[in-house]
Structures are given as C-alpha cells and as structure tokens.
C-alpha cells in the first residue's frame, strides 16, 4: 500500500479552533430581523382525549401566535418509516409531553408563563408503561396488538438441537433501561418563511434531509421551497436524528402563521422530558451447549419498549435482533423479536441503535453459560468465537481475516487479566471491598442494515471554488464526532493536496446532495468511500483537461482548478453509492449479508464493589478493537473513550425515573451521568485490518464502544461478588438489596 | 429560564446595617440571596416563590474567618472554597474542610456560602454533619441584636429553621478540640463529584482506656433535617468498641433515623448504609484507639 500523507495522521479538527475560541455559532447564537420566539404546550397525562383548551388569565393572549393541528397546511405527521407520529396531537394524546399547541411571542421570557397558563382538560384513558404491560394486550394503545414490529431470524434447526442428548441448557433473562443522550447543546431551531422563498430552517440536527422530508409533508410545499441548514451542533449521539424534524416542523408552523422568523430552543428540562431516549429492552436467552462448551443452539426472545409511536423502532429492533448472536459461531439460532408500544414518549436512535441492548444480554449470558459448563469466561469464548470462513447468525460468511481469539488474548494481556483474576479470588474473602475483572467480546455492523444502503442511494460531491479551494459536498453532519475532519482528510489525500485546501460545503439542502443520514457508523466508511471516488473523478477531470499532470504540488492543483473554472465555469464531481459485490440480503427471512463490514472488539473492565455503600467503581478499562484502518488516531481514540464513558454511565449510573411515561428526574442534578472523577483510565488499543470497500480501509467506529462496557462491567461485578446481576442500570440500591440479604446486618434490619 | 425576570426584584443595599434595617422594616417580605447556587436553580426552573430578593453577597462583614486560641468563627458569607482552603479550618476542623470540598462543583464551591447552605436547610447539606460533630454554634443577627445558639437547635424540621423573619445568619463558631481527637467523615453520593448526598456522616470522638469517652455523630439525608445521633451516642458512651457494642449502636441508630424514598435513593438503602457507615466509623475509631 502506498504511504499516505494525511490519512492516518492526527490532523486538527476543521472546526476545532472556532469551537475552542468560542467563535463557533450554535443555533441559539443566531438571530434574524423581526424574529420572535416559540414554545410548546404539552400534555400532562399518559393517554386520553383532549376535551377542552382554555387560555388562562394574566397573559396578553392577543399578542401571541397560537398554532394547533388545524393550522397544519399539509399532513399532520413527522415523516419517518411510518406516518403515525403526529406533529401536533389532534384531540387525542398517547404519551406525556406530547405537543398539543404552539405559542409564539416577541418576549422570550413571557413564553414559560404563557405555556403554564394554558389549561387543558382531558378524559384520561387506560395506558401501558412497560414491555410486560404492553404484551399482555389488555389495553391496546397502538395498532391491533401493541406490536410495532416483529422479526423472526432463524438459522439451522434450533428445535432439533435442543432435543439432542447430553447437552446443557442455560436460560436467562436480561434487561436494560432507557438512557438520555445528554448532548451538551439542547435541541433548537429557527424557521423563516416567505411566499417567494418558501421555508428555511436552521437547526441543531444530524440529518438535514430527514427534516427536509418532514417539512415537505407538514407544509405541503414543493421540494425547492423547503431548505434545511444544519448549524454547528453541540453533540447528538442519535438524539438529533428524528426529534429535530418535530422541532423544525413546529418552528415552521409558527413562522408561517405569524409572518415572523421563529426561534424555538428547548431548555434542559424540556429536552430531557420530551425528546427521545434509548429503547429499554428485555432479552430472554435459552442456550444449548455441549458439555465441553461448544455452542449448539440459541433460542432468543428480544423485546424493545418503543414508546407511543413507531418512529425508528423497527430499525432499532432490526439491529438489535441481528446483533443478538454476538461474535460467536452458532450452528443453530433463532431470534424472535418484537417492539412494543407503550404510552411513553417515543424512544429513538441512540449510539448503538439496539445493539447495546442485545449484546448486553448475550455477553452477560455467555459468562453464565461458561460457568454452567465449568469453563472460565475466556476459555468458553475461545471455543466459540467466529472465525474467518464461518457464518454469522444471518448466514453471512466472514470473509475478512479476523482473529477474535488473538484480539481477546491481547486485551486480556493489556488488562493483566489472569494475574488479577487469581489475585482477586484470593484476596476478596476477607475484604469489604470486593474486586472483580470481566470481559466482553462483541461486534458492530457498520452502515445501514441489509439493503438499507441501497435504498439510501447516497450521493456525494467534491467541487472546487474559483479560488481553487476544494469543497466536500455532503449532507453528512459534524456534531462533535469528526465528520468534517475525516471527510476533508479523505478528499485531500485522494487529490494529493494539502489538508488546509479542503473545506466542507455548508450542510444546506440547497447546496449539498443527499449523502444519507449521519447515523449507523456509516459516515467514515460509506460516505468517506464516496468522497474518495468523487475526489478521484475531480482529479481525473483536471488531468484529462490537460491543465494538470502528475506529479503535482498542492499549489499546482489549485492553479489548475482555477484555470479550469475560468474556462469551463465549474469543476465538480459526483459519486453515487454502489454496493460492494456479493452483497445479498433477504428482508423477509432476515438472512444474508446484514452489513458490508463488522468492527470487532474485546473489552476488559476491572471493578471494586464497596460492601459498605454497595457502590461500584470501575478501576481500569481496556478497550481493544479492530475498526479497519484508523483515519485519524486522535479522533478515533476520542470516539472510544467517549463511548466507553457513555457505556459506564449506561451500566452503573444513568437511570430514567418514570412516572407513567413522564421522566421525573429531567435535570442533570438527578439524572446521574459519570463525571471524570467516576471514570477509570480508559486504555485504547487498535488492531487495523484495512477494509477493501471503506474509505482508505476504514470501517465504522462511532457506535462500537457503546456495546461492550455494560456487559464487561456486570461480568466483573459477578466475579467480584459471586452474584449474577442481569439488569442495567445497576445502582447501589439494587446491589444492596441483593447482597444485604446474605449478611447478618440484614437480619438485624429485619428485627427492628 | 422559566421565570419571568420582571416579576422579581433584587436589591443590593451594600452594607449589613442597611440589610438588617430592611429585614426589620418589612419582616418576611425579603429573601436574602448570597451565592445564589440554590435560588438561581429554582429561578431557572420557574419554581422560585420568593419574589423580593436582597443580595448579601457584597457584604464583606460576613466574609471573614477569624481564629483565636479557642475558637474559629466563619462568617456566613464565606464560600466553600474559602473554607476548605483556610489553614486553621484545615488544621482544627478537617471534617469541615473535607465536607466543603464535597459540596457541588468547583463553581458551586466558589459561589456557594456556608450561611446560604444552612439557611437553605436541606437535610442533605454536606457541611451540616461536620458542624454537628464539632458541636458548632451559630450566631444570628438582626436589627434587634445578636444571639448565639447551638447549631443543633437551628434545625426545627423539614426546611424549618430557628431564623426569625428579620434575622440573618452572621457566623458559625467552632470550638477547637484537643488535637488528639478521632474524626471521621464519609459522603455516599450519587457519584464521586458534583453529587447530592444519599447519605453523609461526620463524627468526632475520644477514647479512655478502650472505652468511648466522647463521641458526636452528625448525619445527613436520614431525617427531615440534619441529625445529631444523640441516642446512638448514648449507647456508645462508656462502652468498649466491640462487636456487641457496634450491634447495639446500629440498633439505636435505626430507632432514630427516619429516611425516605426520594428521587436519589430509597429509605431501605439509606437505613442499611447508615448502619454500615456507623459500623465503619466505629471500627476505624477502635483501630485509631489501638494505634495510640
């Protein structure tokens, strides 16, 4: 392979200086002439009919713009996969915090008082608030059966395998809770409307064309009259994939009715209570294994709580289903999965997208299966990890040269696993501080699932300006993870020019083509690959024109581009997605090539469980992964460290306290995320095997680190305490309840 | 921000006499605001019922720490940063320095004051257990004069304090104890930093020939107000620190704490951990005695 100049190097973030100096402008930093402010009136009950709306005293209502569902010129839904998610509730509400009314006024500070002064009378109807309640189907809150989506994925003959003699069967139930994204910047949008220009929307968002599609539906305007511009976005983690389309529609409706530009900014409490979270899950595993620890069959039931509307639940469920097998070779496996509706605000995209849920169950369960056949966690995994040439649970042949066993061994070495495991076993007996070490091995599919990338049909451009600068034209957005930097690196490398010469075109739907949503760990691998081929096209155009010949300097390239534009008017090259060869996927049977590529990882967590306060501290964390070629080592490390931190929060700290669908702890004082004082050293290691069809060999990285921490930590806690904890978040209260029952203290407590 | 600023009035008289005159002329109408780390959170959330605020933040009279041979007095306007960095506090009242360092974030410690913390009267206040363990006294001031009461008489119930409508907290007084006292403090919060206590404990004590000669234990988040564990201390006084005593003490503790389920934890967890922390402190107390 040729030596690269820019790819693989820790070049600076494109927008880094502006962010560090405070010059970056986020949505609330923008103002337009005549702009007024919008706010949302939300419902208070879980489910029911709206009987009456009264505008209470003390507010100058004649100064307000009020929008209800009746004011929607187009269709009253936010366009995602289905069309069931109302933009504004129209007489019926299905979850707390559902938007009913919109208000706008020039005095931003007056809005909260006005929102509080709207009195809504309801007729409350029965509601459901958990997978368990929903699956009973006693109260139907969605469709005919509360089931938003279901899949059956089957390989081999599962029932026959369970009927074999001399096998060990291990069962387990695992559950995970909701998780809040906690991006630093809350959601917000500004909308402007004029008859001549139509609608323009600026927002903090991940997917400009998702918002664009929703606005077309809500406004009924033609495509060229709707323009969406992403401004600097302070974090997203999936939380700004779907919900910003809702806020965009609200701002646009107010702007159209009031005749003024309208800004809507959520505060933290509104953002936490009203917007999406990670889907809670429940997984039931039944595993058949030989006495010497060879996996024979899995029978898995995987369920998600989707919330009140279908939004993205079917795709989250799909990814969760496919990842249920983990990185193991299963001769026989069946996964039956369902997403249930509940009267909770719809759960949505969140880093990992179903995989952290199903992999938590699988990796926790594997430790229990190992124990049942008398093997250590690592030896059991060694006997069952996927190898090149074997098939995954969708029947996908692993063509990449992988070495999961070697990578696991390497992670264990970095962690000092064998020595520590033995030492902790020895020293724990007499200590009130029990130490443990645990392992998780896992995979994460990069890009859209199955035929998703083909449907997306992404288009990417690279062009040059009259000054000879190069621009990357994509709708893929930067929200802290490094899109700008990585895509500019790829373009600069491909064109053979300086990194500084390349910049991102604004993420503006009137300027850039639709390169698909910025989700699913697809940007570097898929969009990066398209930037690479578009850049190649640009270079070939210049060379073919006779204005440039190889070898050339960056300056020579710029001069050639300038001359080309002076002569021909424009220099632009587009590239459209083409699936890698041999990619076959059956959407009905759920078999075939689920993903173009998988990233692989082995994580090791070391913990202390303090038996005085039942508090768990993660003392050390080793994160080893194979993500294809690492294009920017600093950004890549940042992704892993951040994902592990978020995974530690998911496992041990972050608990959404619900009261019938309403988040009760919607403040950062009471929704506890770990601080730097709660995090261990996170030691990051990369194995790099270039992936043929990714940009410069890259695969996906963003979501992978979210999958492994929770099972590794809970496995470590099982090692430390000898108790199986199978639900997250696992809080000190939960550990106390279980472990205290083993001590004399509990007896005293009971006696009092 | 969910409050309407024009609905609120904030004045800054600039000196203590003027503030006291205002409180005496219009008793009950004004709420003092110092660092604002509690009041502004309520303001932001649209939940601040007090509409008239008088700032005591600029009052230098309240911001000094004095030390003499027997006492340290801490002005109510002293920030937690000031307290935890003060050499005399660190030397003579390490538990208070420690508790101050546990309070909120660094920004909270820079803005938040000990007077504000006590007047806010949260049962979870981090400094309260230490003040109880040190038998602190608290000086209240009004246009009528000053009065000094034991800190443990300051809390009357949930968010109820012995502060008259025209009074301010002027200072906290701590009597220096002999250098060879045992001391212990531990906070069990929701996380290691920027956390509100699920439970917090501080204790001081002395042993004489293996028996408890003195002990004072303060505990937070286990009752409607910070709690001085008088009943538990009674069991311990004069007793040898063996397993039987510890079991007795745990029992006594359970009869005087009354924790609740709230958004941060559960009553049963708090009861269990209160006992565990008591046991940990008593075992450390015994080990400290053995080392001497």
């Amino acid at each position: 392979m040729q030596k690269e100049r820019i790819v693989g190097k820790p070049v600076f973030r494109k927008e880094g200086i502006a962010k560090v100096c405070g010059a970056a402008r986020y949505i609330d930093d923008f103002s337009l002439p005549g702009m007024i402010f919008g706010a949302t009136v939300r419902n208070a009950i879980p489910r029911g009919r709206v009987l009456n709306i009264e505008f209470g005293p003390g507010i100058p209502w004649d100064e307000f713009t009020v929008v209800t569902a009746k004011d929607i010129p187009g269709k009253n839904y936010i366009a995602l996969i289905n069309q069931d998610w109302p933009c504004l509730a129209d007489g019926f509400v299905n979850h707390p915090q559902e938007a009913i009314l919109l208000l706008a006024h020039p005095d931003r500070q007056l809005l909260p008082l006005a929102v509080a002064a709207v009195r809504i009378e309801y007729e409350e109807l029965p509601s459901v608030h958990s997978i368990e309640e929903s699956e009973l189907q006693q109260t139907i809150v969605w469709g005919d059966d509360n089931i938003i989506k279901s899949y059956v994925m089957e390989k081999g003959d599962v029932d026959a395998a369970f009927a074999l003699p001399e096998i060990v069967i291990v069962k387990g139930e695992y559950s995970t809770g909701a998780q809040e994204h906690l991006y630093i910047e809350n959601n917000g949008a500004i909308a402007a409307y004029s008859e001549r220009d139509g609608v323009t929307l600026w927002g903090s968002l991940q997917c400009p064309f998702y918002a664009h599609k929703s606005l077309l539906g809500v406004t009924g305007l033609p495509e060229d009259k709707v323009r969406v511009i992403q401004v600097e976005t302070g974090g997203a983690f999936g939380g700004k994939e779907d919900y910003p389309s809702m806020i965009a529609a609200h701002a646009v409706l107010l702007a159209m009715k009031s005749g003024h530009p309208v800004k809507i900014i959520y505060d933290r409490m509104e953002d936490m209570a009203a917007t999406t979270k990670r889907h809670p899950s429940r997984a039931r595993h039944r595993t058949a294994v030989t006495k010497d620890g060879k996996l024979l069959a899995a029978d898995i039931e995987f369920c998600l709580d989707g919330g009140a509307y279908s939004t993205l639940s079917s795709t989250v469920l799909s990814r969760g289903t496919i990842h249920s097998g983990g990185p193991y070779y299963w001769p026989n496996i069946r996964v039956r999965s369902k997403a249930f509706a509940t009267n909770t605000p719809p759960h949505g995209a969140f880093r990992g997208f179903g995989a952290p849920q199903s992999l938590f169950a699988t990796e926790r369960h594997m430790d229990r299966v190992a124990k049942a056949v008398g093997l250590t966690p690592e030896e059991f995994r060694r006997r069952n990890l996927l190898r090149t040439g074997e098939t995954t649970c969708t029947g996908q042949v692993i063509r990449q040269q992988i070495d999961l066993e070697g990578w696991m061994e390497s992670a264990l070495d970095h962690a000092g696993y064998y020595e520590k495991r033995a030492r902790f076993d020895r020293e724990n007996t007499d200590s009130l501080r029990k130490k443990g070490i645990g392992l998780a091995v896992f995979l994460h599919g990069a890009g859209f699932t199955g035929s998703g990338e083909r449907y997306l049909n992404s288009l990417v451009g690279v062009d040059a300006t009259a000054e000879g600068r190069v621009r990357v034209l994509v709708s893929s957005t930067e929200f802290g993870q490094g899109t700008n930097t990585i895509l500019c690196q790829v373009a600069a490398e491909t064109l053979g020019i300086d990194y500084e010469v390349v910049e991102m075109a604004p993420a503006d739907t009137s300027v850039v083509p639709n390169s698909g949503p910025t989700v699913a760990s697809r940007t570097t691998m898929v969009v990066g690959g398209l930037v690479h081929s578009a850049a190649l096209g640009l270079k070939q155009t210049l060379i073919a024109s006779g204005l440039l010949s190889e070898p050339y300097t960056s300056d020579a390239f710029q001069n050639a581009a300038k001359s080309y534009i002076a002569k021909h008017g424009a220099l632009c090259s587009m590239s459209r997605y083409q699936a890698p060869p041999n990619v076959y996927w059956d959407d009905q049977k759920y078999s075939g090539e689920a993903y173009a590529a998988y990233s692989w990882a082995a994580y090791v967590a070391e913990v202390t469980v303090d038996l005085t306060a039942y508090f768990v501290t993660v003392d050390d964390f080793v994160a080893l992964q194979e993500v294809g070629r690492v294009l920017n080592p600093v950004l890549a490390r940042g992704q892993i460290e951040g994902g592990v931190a978020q995974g530690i929060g998911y496992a041990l700290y972050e608990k959404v306290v619900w009261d019938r669908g309403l988040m009760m702890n919607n403040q950062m004082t009471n929704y506890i995320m770990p601080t730097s004082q709660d995090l261990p050293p996170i030691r990051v290691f990369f194995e790099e095997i270039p992936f043929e069809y990714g940009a410069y060999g890259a695969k996906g990285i963003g979501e992978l680190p979210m999958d492994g921490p929770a099972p590794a930590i809970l496995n470590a806690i099982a090692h430390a305490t000898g108790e199986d904890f199978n639900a997250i978040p696992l809080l000190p209260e939960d550990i106390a309840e279980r472990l205290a029952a083993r001590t004399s203290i509990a007896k005293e407590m009971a006696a009092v | 921000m969910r409050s309407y600023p024009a609905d609120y009035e904030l004045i800054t008289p600039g000196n203590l006499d003027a503030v006291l005159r205002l409180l005496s002329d219009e008793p009950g109408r004004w709420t003092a605001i110092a660092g604002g780390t509690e009041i502004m959170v309520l303001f932001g959330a649209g939940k601040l019922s007090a509409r008239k605020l008088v700032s005591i933040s600029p009052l230098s009279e309240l911001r000094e720490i004095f030390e003499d041979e027997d006492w340290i007095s801490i002005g109510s306007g002293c920030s937690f940063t000031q307290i935890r960095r003060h050499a005399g506090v660190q030397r003579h009242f390490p538990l208070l320095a420690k508790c101050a360092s546990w309070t909120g974030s660094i920004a909270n410690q820079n803005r938040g004051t000990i007077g504000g913390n006590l007047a806010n009267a949260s049962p979870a206040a981090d400094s309260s257990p230490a003040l109880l363990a040190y038998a602190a006294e608290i000086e209240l001031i009004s246009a009528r004069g000053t009065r000094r009461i034991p800190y443990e008489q300051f809390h009357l119930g949930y968010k109820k304090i012995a502060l008259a409508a025209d009074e301010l907290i002027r200072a906290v007084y701590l009597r220096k104890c002999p250098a060879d006292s045992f001391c212990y403090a531990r906070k069990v919060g929701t996380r290691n930093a920027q956390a509100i206590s699920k439970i917090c404990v501080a204790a001081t004590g002395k042993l004489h020939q293996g028996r408890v000669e003195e002990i004072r234990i303060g505990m937070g988040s286990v009752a409607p107000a910070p709690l001085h564990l008088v009943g538990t201390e009674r069991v311990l006084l004069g007793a040898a620190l063996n397993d039987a005593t510890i079991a007795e003490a745990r029992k006594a503790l359970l009869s005087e704490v009354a924790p609740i389920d709230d958004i941060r934890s559960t009553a049963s967890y708090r009861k269990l951990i209160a006992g565990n922390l008591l046991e940990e402190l008593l075992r450390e107390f015994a080990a400290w005695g053995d080392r001497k």
Side-chain angles (χ1 to χ4, degrees):
Chain A
M1 185 195 291
Q2 78 183 71
K3 198 93 186 111
E4 278 104 16
R5 304 164 302 121
I6 296 163
V7 155
K9 304 288 189 297
V11 300
F12 289 152
R13 276 176 179 275
K14 274 289 168 193
E15 77 293 349
I17 289 174
K19 279 180 174 167
V20 170
C21 297
R25 296 178 78 208
Y26 297 84
I27 189 65
D28 206 9
D29 298 325
F30 289 86
S31 192
L32 294 174
M35 187 177 81
I36 63 173
F37 299 88
T40 315
V41 179
R42 302 176 183 282
N43 76 304
I45 63 159
R47 180 166 173 261
R49 244 173 231 108
V50 176
L51 300 179
N52 187 38
I53 298 175
E54 196 184 305
F55 295 85
I59 303 292
W61 290 112
D62 55 331
E63 298 171 7
F64 279 79
T65 301
V66 179
V67 162
T68 70
K70 310 276 175 289
D71 294 302
I72 296 173
K75 304 221 168 64
N76 185 10
Y77 60 78
I78 300 302
L80 285 164
I81 297 160
N82 297 320
Q83 302 173 345
D84 65 329
W85 195 25
C87 175
L88 288 169
D90 192 4
F92 200 95
V93 288
N94 280 305
H95 66 80
Q97 298 288 303
E98 190 162 1
I100 294 179
L101 275 187
L102 305 169
L103 305 176
H105 191 274
D107 182 353
R108 187 175 190 168
Q109 261 113 32
L110 195 54
L111 284 163
L113 301 193
V115 167
V118 177
R119 309 228 182 284
I120 304 174
E121 218 183 294
Y122 306 94
E123 177 198 348
E124 201 174 328
L125 293 170
S127 56
V128 299
H129 296 285
S130 63
I131 291 170
E132 286 68 27
E133 282 175 22
S134 187
E135 72 187 343
L136 280 178
Q137 299 180 344
Q138 281 169 354
T139 302
I140 300 298
V141 300
W142 195 93
D144 301 328
D145 54 5
N146 289 343
I147 300 170
I148 291 172
K149 185 75 185 180
S150 61
Y151 297 104
V152 178
M153 182 177 86
E154 193 155 10
K155 173 191 179 188
D157 189 339
V158 172
D159 295 328
F162 273 97
L164 290 171
E166 302 278 299
I167 60 167
V168 178
I169 295 175
V170 186
K171 293 182 191 175
E173 181 173 315
Y174 307 87
S175 66
T176 64
Q179 186 182 22
E180 166 60 32
H181 303 85
L182 288 178
Y183 25 70
I184 296 174
E185 182 205 23
N186 295 327
N187 273 289
I190 298 175
Y193 172 76
S194 72
E195 220 162 289
R196 197 195 61 184
D197 297 332
V199 160
T200 308
L201 187 283
W202 295 261
S204 175
L205 46 84
Q206 280 177 249
C207 310
F209 280 97
Y210 278 10
H212 189 260
K213 183 176 161 195
S214 281
L215 291 179
L216 291 182
V218 168
T219 61
L221 291 169
E223 261 187 56
D224 61 339
K225 289 277 191 254
V226 175
R227 178 178 173 196
V228 175
I229 302 165
Q230 183 233 14
V231 299
E232 200 72 77
T233 295
F237 306 110
K240 292 175 184 172
E241 176 171 352
D242 50 9
Y243 207 88
S245 300
M246 177 73 84
I247 304 167
H250 290 170
V252 162
L253 290 171
L254 284 169
M256 291 176 85
K257 187 157 182 190
S258 69
H260 290 271
V262 172
K263 177 192 273 189
I264 297 180
I265 305 285
Y266 285 6
D267 68 9
R268 183 65 69 182
M269 288 189 288
E270 182 174 25
D271 199 302
M272 290 178 86
T275 75
T276 61
K277 299 186 185 11
R278 185 185 298 288
H279 290 71
S281 79
R282 183 193 68 200
R284 289 177 175 148
H285 278 244
R286 193 164 68 98
T287 304
V289 60
T290 66
K291 284 184 173 158
D292 59 353
K294 199 80 183 134
L295 288 171
L296 288 171
D299 191 8
I300 299 168
E301 181 209 83
F302 178 63
C303 297
L304 294 177
D305 172 350
Y309 298 105
S310 65
T311 62
L312 298 167
S313 288
S314 60
T315 47
V316 174
L317 184 69
S318 159
R319 188 173 279 269
T321 303
I322 292 169
H323 285 74
S324 286
Y328 302 102
Y329 173 66
W330 297 95
N332 310 285
I333 183 168
R334 178 169 60 217
V335 184
R336 286 178 280 206
S337 61
K338 285 177 186 149
F340 286 100
T342 61
N343 299 106
T344 301
H347 294 298
F350 193 151
R351 189 182 211 169
F353 210 73
Q357 290 94 318
S358 61
L359 284 167
F360 168 72
T362 305
E363 275 305 273
R364 189 72 267 286
H365 188 64
M366 288 303 118
D367 262 34
R368 298 186 53 239
V369 176
K371 202 171 173 185
V373 293
L375 292 175
T376 62
E378 65 280 8
E379 178 53 32
F380 171 74
R381 283 177 175 80
R382 214 172 273 138
R383 295 181 189 189
N384 293 287
L385 285 168
L386 274 167
R387 291 179 177 79
T388 303
E390 289 179 342
T391 54
T392 67
C393 50
T394 63
Q396 177 170 2
V397 180
I398 300 296
R399 296 194 203 94
Q400 189 199 346
Q401 288 304 314
I402 59 170
D403 179 17
L404 287 176
E405 195 186 324
W407 296 335
M408 177 181 80
E409 218 54 70
S410 170
L412 295 176
D413 270 355
H414 287 301
Y417 176 89
Y418 296 103
E419 181 274 324
K420 279 178 181 163
R421 203 166 174 100
R423 176 154 54 85
F424 297 163
D425 285 340
R426 223 167 41 238
E427 293 174 354
N428 272 346
T429 324
D430 303 321
S431 178
L432 277 176
R433 293 169 60 77
K434 308 277 185 207
K435 293 192 55 81
I437 190 161
L439 166 73
V441 185
F442 55 100
L443 76 176
H444 197 95
F448 262 42
T449 303
S451 30
E453 288 294 341
R454 268 189 231 201
Y455 288 126
L456 282 179
N457 200 20
S458 298
L459 186 63
V460 159
V462 174
D463 75 357
T465 67
E467 295 75 40
R469 294 183 62 79
V470 169
R471 301 193 311 166
V472 175
L473 302 162
V474 290
S475 64
S476 308
T477 51
E478 171 70 50
F479 38 87
Q481 83 286 37
T483 298
N484 290 348
T485 307
I486 291 287
L487 297 184
C488 289
Q489 279 183 274
V490 169
E493 185 72 56
T494 309
L495 292 171
I497 58 177
D498 294 343
Y499 171 67
E500 291 71 24
V501 174
V502 184
E503 61 195 50
M504 297 295 283
D508 175 341
T509 56
S510 72
V511 175
V512 296
N514 188 351
S515 61
T518 312
V519 304
S521 306
R522 64 184 294 275
T523 302
T524 300
M525 182 179 92
V526 178
V527 181
L530 295 177
V531 169
H532 174 69
S533 51
L536 273 182
L538 195 83
K539 177 176 155 182
Q540 281 157 8
T541 306
L542 270 187
I543 290 174
S545 73
L547 292 166
L548 186 69
S549 57
E550 290 191 276
Y552 55 82
T553 63
S554 201
D555 284 346
F557 180 93
Q558 285 192 267
N559 286 332
K562 274 191 252 181
S563 308
Y564 187 96
I565 289 167
K567 202 164 146 193
H568 301 283
L571 173 58
C572 181
S573 164
M574 307 296 283
S575 176
R576 195 174 279 285
Y577 177 78
Q578 283 180 317
N582 310 318
V583 172
Y584 162 81
W585 175 252
D586 185 330
D587 245 332
Q588 299 307 311
K589 292 190 179 141
Y590 249 58
S591 69
E593 309 275 312
Y595 298 99
Y598 288 93
S599 292
W600 309 92
Y603 284 8
V604 185
E606 182 187 330
V607 304
T608 301
V609 185
D610 166 41
L611 293 192
T612 303
Y614 299 99
F615 199 83
V616 178
T617 309
V618 183
D619 302 319
D620 186 32
F621 203 96
V622 166
L624 181 141
Q625 46 266 307
E626 195 283 312
V627 294
R629 184 79 193 284
V630 172
L631 301 193
N632 186 317
V634 171
L635 290 181
R637 187 175 294 272
Q639 284 290 312
I640 303 303
E641 288 173 358
V644 169
Q646 207 159 31
I648 291 173
Y650 187 42
L652 295 175
Y653 295 89
E654 300 183 32
K655 179 173 185 172
V656 177
V657 180
W658 297 106
D659 178 13
R660 299 202 310 151
L662 184 64
M663 182 181 189
M664 301 306 288
N665 53 341
N666 57 328
Q667 286 172 293
M668 292 184 73
T669 5
N670 291 326
Y671 179 83
I672 305 300
M673 73 186 296
T675 68
S676 59
Q677 296 298 303
D678 302 291
L679 295 173
I682 298 167
R683 299 192 282 138
V684 180
F685 303 92
F686 289 110
E687 297 285 341
E688 297 182 59
I689 300 178
F691 170 56
E692 197 179 343
Y693 301 100
Y696 288 94
K699 297 192 289 192
I701 185 171
E703 297 173 287
L704 177 79
M706 189 70 223
D707 297 342
I713 289 165
L714 279 266
N715 286 343
I717 292 170
H719 176 225
T721 62
E723 285 281 328
D724 281 322
F725 292 98
N726 296 335
I728 52 168
L730 179 65
L731 270 64
E733 285 76 3
D734 308 315
I735 302 176
E737 197 182 315
R738 179 96 65 88
L739 295 190
R742 301 194 317 199
T743 66
S744 58
I745 297 158
K747 286 173 206 144
E748 274 173 50
M749 290 266 302
V752 172
Chain B
M1 190 179 60
R2 295 189 176 188
S3 293
Y4 193 59
D7 287 345
Y8 292 84
E9 188 180 349
L10 172 70
I11 60 165
T12 307
N15 67 69
L16 183 57
D17 284 344
V19 172
L20 294 177
R21 247 195 330 274
L22 180 75
L23 294 181
S24 138
D25 290 350
E26 301 177 46
R29 296 200 61 195
W30 294 87
T31 298
I33 174 169
T37 55
E38 286 289 340
I39 283 177
M40 293 312 290
V41 172
L42 293 174
F43 181 76
K47 289 177 182 165
L48 181 61
S49 51
R51 294 292 170 101
K52 286 163 130 1
L53 303 171
V54 52
S55 171
I56 55 170
S57 189
L59 305 183
S60 53
E61 300 97 309
L62 300 179
R63 300 182 85 165
E64 285 181 282
I65 300 178
F66 293 105
E67 182 176 1
D68 65 22
E69 219 157 285
D70 301 322
W71 292 85
I72 283 184
S73 79
I74 300 170
S76 62
C78 291
S79 70
F80 289 104
T81 302
Q82 209 179 335
I83 292 167
R84 74 182 172 83
R85 287 189 182 156
H86 189 271
V89 173
Q90 285 174 359
R91 183 145 124 244
H92 299 286
F93 303 100
L95 298 181
L96 185 60
K98 212 175 193 179
C99 291
S101 77
W102 289 337
T103 303
S105 62
I106 298 294
N108 287 138
Q109 291 170 16
N110 289 340
R111 289 287 308 171
T113 65
I114 189 158
N117 196 222
L118 299 181
N120 182 55
S122 164
D126 288 314
S127 49
S128 294
L131 295 182
L132 289 168
Y134 287 129
E137 294 176 16
I138 185 165
E139 187 177 62
L140 310 175
I141 187 167
S142 68
R144 294 174 284 129
T146 63
R147 59 186 179 120
R148 195 156 141 183
I149 59 169
Y151 170 62
E152 63 174 299
Q153 290 171 16
F154 181 69
H155 293 282
L156 306 173
Y158 180 68
K159 293 262 178 183
K160 275 202 191 131
I161 47 177
L163 189 74
D166 63 344
E167 279 181 318
L168 283 179
I169 300 171
R170 209 206 63 80
V172 172
Y173 285 82
L174 296 157
R175 186 198 291 275
K176 292 179 182 173
C177 32
D180 64 341
S181 295
F182 166 76
C183 65
Y184 169 96
R186 183 164 171 192
K187 169 177 176 170
V188 175
T190 49
R191 61 187 162 205
N192 288 333
Q194 302 193 29
I196 297 175
S197 286
K198 289 179 179 177
I199 189 164
C200 186
V201 60
T204 59
K206 277 167 80 174
L207 290 174
H208 182 67
Q209 293 175 346
R211 288 179 181 275
V212 177
E213 190 183 27
E214 280 175 24
I215 183 146
R216 285 187 66 93
I217 312 171
M219 208 173 251
S221 296
V222 288
L227 192 63
H228 176 204
L229 297 176
V230 192
T232 309
E233 290 169 10
R234 212 176 294 130
V235 167
L236 290 164
L237 280 172
L241 287 173
N242 53 33
D243 286 355
T245 305
I246 289 170
E248 277 301 299
R250 288 187 73 126
K251 248 185 229 168
L253 172 82
L254 287 179
S255 67
E256 57 183 338
V257 298
I260 55 164
D261 288 337
D262 65 12
I263 205 150
R264 279 180 288 278
S265 192
T266 63
S268 60
Y269 175 81
R270 288 185 164 113
K271 271 189 190 171
L272 176 64
I273 304 313
N276 287 357
L277 292 179
L278 177 66
E279 178 158 351
E280 180 179 273
L281 101 80
L282 293 176
R283 294 203 186 280
E284 284 188 21
F285 194 13
W288 170 85
D290 292 342
R291 279 198 305 275
K292 281 184 67 184

